[in-house]
Amino acid sequence: MMRFRLPFCLYLLAVIAGQLVSCTRIRAGNHVAATLDSVESYINDRPDSALAVLRSVDTTALHTRALRARYSLLRVMALDKCFEDITRPGLLDPAVNWYERHGSADERMKALYYQGRIAQERKDQNGAAVFFSRAEEFANDVTDKHALGVLYLSEAVVYGTVHNIGKQKEYTEKGLMLFEEIDDPMKELAQGQLAVSLFALREWEKADSLFRKGLDAPFSNPQAESVFLSNYAQMKVLQPTPDPEGALALLDRKRKESGQGLSLREAGIYAYALTLSGREKDAQGIVDQLEKRAMSSPMEVEPWLGRCALASGDYKRAYESLYRARLSEDSVIQASLSDSVSEAISAYNAQAARQKQMQYRFNMAIMAIILLLLTLALVLAALRRRKLESERSRILDVCSALQAEAAEQETVTARLQEQLAKFREIARRERVQRFRQAGKLRASLWRLDHLSLQEESHADNSTMTEIKKELSYVYDIDGTGEDLIRRLDQELGGVLVSLLEALHVQDKPQEQLFLGCCLLDIPADVVAARFKTTPNNVRVKKSRLRGQIAKLNNPDYDVLFAIRR
């Protein structure tokens, strides 16, 4: 017995251990999901805290693809908002693979957006444009307006890199509208970006109005403030009526509040503002530093070196710098880049259209197959129905034939039963007749016995002895009559017992004996001698008995007493 109990115990322990592990995994998964919910609620306001919490999450508790995808997406979001590297291979793969076909509209849009951001960080503007365009397809279904606004601003940046200022302005305005609707701090960055678009379109007054509006409002995002001040300073020195002092003040404010130095572009703006304000000696020191970086970053440095030389009257140097800037930023290349972005988006749209067409064809093929199968099913159902109807018709014909045969058999049976009833009635009449004859014979013998005739004349007569022996049951009228009633009932098929019950005399032996005498049609004088009464009384009682039997209205009883109706 122990040989079989041990494996069962091990199996039970294994099941319990499996259940405990499963419960532990579920609890851990629920805890991680709650952590991710909490992180998502403040990731836009405190991305550094969100990143710290995400780095502390036990990734072994991410048991499902959905959890791994969500963790991956939130981590890339936090890294991007903290200005950390997001181009590491595989960082967003779980989210990309899962949200390709699963997830809400917000999650799928964010996954595509951050694929575009990774492409931007890798200097792949074409790829970024395609991902942003795909993300925008979910714009009508998303509920996170902040994320949608950020997407619009990123698309505006892509268009700005290829000098499509009209599209840049359009998408910046769409993003600004969303941020103003939800009172999001990102509206400051959007206002600055829109101002850049306006001054690129030479709409100086509108641009200056937006810049001034942004300066009056407190900035909640230091990075947005730095970009805003830098762009405003650039417009200050490029507008038709330059304001070099205003540009210098903006750049000094930017350097003071950010705690960081100036970028190459900002250093060029600063040098140009100094030159415009007449402080060429101060500007020269910055120019000398920029010339050392001109070879490595011509697109950022050469335009400002050319403007400084032009402002100081050195036209030759200005021409050389601007020529080198033109070479580094050739309009043909920019136009080609612009076309390539448009072509990339067009190619994606064409591919999407082809996929939709293929999907449509596939759906139509499936519908055709389903329709064919339904048609086949209907045909088979019709054939089966026809076969069932044919079988039903055949069965009905058989049933009709059987019913006709049964009706015929019932007719024959009824006829036979009628004949049988007639034969029974005839047989019963014959038996009754025989009993009456026996009764008459019994009466004759009784008279012989009671008329004081010489018994010697027939005492030795063997024939008379045989007759008396045969009529011994009839002679029972001198006793209790039990043998007489029993013999009569047996001969008549049990009808006599039912008659006694109908007359309620089954417990009255004398009444039963009188009924037997009436059935045998024994003369009234013989019955009167047996019951010690007068023949007239016997006749009256016999008449009453026949009346009672007639009231029972039973043909079987009528036959016994020759009652006619």
Side-chain angles (χ1 to χ4, degrees), residues 522-535:
I522 297 176
D525 56 340
V526 177
V527 177
R530 167 64 182 82
F531 289 97
K532 296 179 176 58
T533 184
T534 64

Side-chain angles (χ1 to χ4, degrees), residues 24 30 49 123 204 278 357 375 414 429 473 476 534:
T24 303
N30 292 338
S49 301
K123 310 301 180 184
W204 307 107
Q357 187 177 10
T375 304
R429 289 180 184 276
Y473 68 94
D476 193 40
T534 64

Side-chain angles (χ1 to χ4, degrees), residues 471-499:
L471 298 175
S472 59
Y473 68 94
V474 179
Y475 276 89
D476 193 40
I477 64 173
D478 295 333
T480 61
E482 291 181 2
D483 290 341
L484 174 63
I485 298 301
R486 184 167 50 253
R487 176 70 179 271
L488 292 176
D489 184 66
Q490 181 179 359
E491 290 287 339
L492 295 173
V495 69
L496 191 59
V497 171
S498 65
L499 176 60

Side-chain angles (χ1 to χ4, degrees), residues 141-210:
D141 300 321
V142 298
T143 58
D144 190 345
K145 294 185 178 181
H146 170 86
L148 183 58
V150 171
L151 170 64
Y152 286 149
L153 291 189
S154 297
E155 289 188 272
V157 170
V158 171
Y159 282 114
T161 58
V162 294
H163 300 287
N164 191 338
I165 308 303
K167 282 289 186 181
Q168 180 185 14
K169 178 187 174 185
E170 175 189 342
Y171 276 91
T172 304
E173 288 175 338
K174 290 168 70 173
L176 177 60
M177 187 183 302
L178 287 174
F179 293 138
E180 288 179 340
E181 181 181 342
I182 60 176
D183 194 22
D184 194 293
M186 284 291 291
K187 66 182 178 182
E188 302 157 2
L189 179 62
Q191 287 173 350
Q193 195 165 316
L194 179 58
V196 172
S197 301
L198 290 172
F199 95 71
L201 293 171
R202 303 295 191 267
E203 298 181 19
W204 307 107
E205 293 182 1
K206 292 182 179 180
D208 189 67
S209 175
L210 279 176

Side-chain angles (χ1 to χ4, degrees), residues 16-35 58 60-64 67:
I16 295 172
Q19 292 294 328
L20 290 175
V21 170
S22 176
C23 292
T24 303
R25 286 168 63 91
I26 291 173
R27 276 200 303 272
N30 292 338
H31 176 70
V32 170
T35 301
D58 181 11
T60 59
L62 303 172
H63 302 305
T64 64
L67 272 180

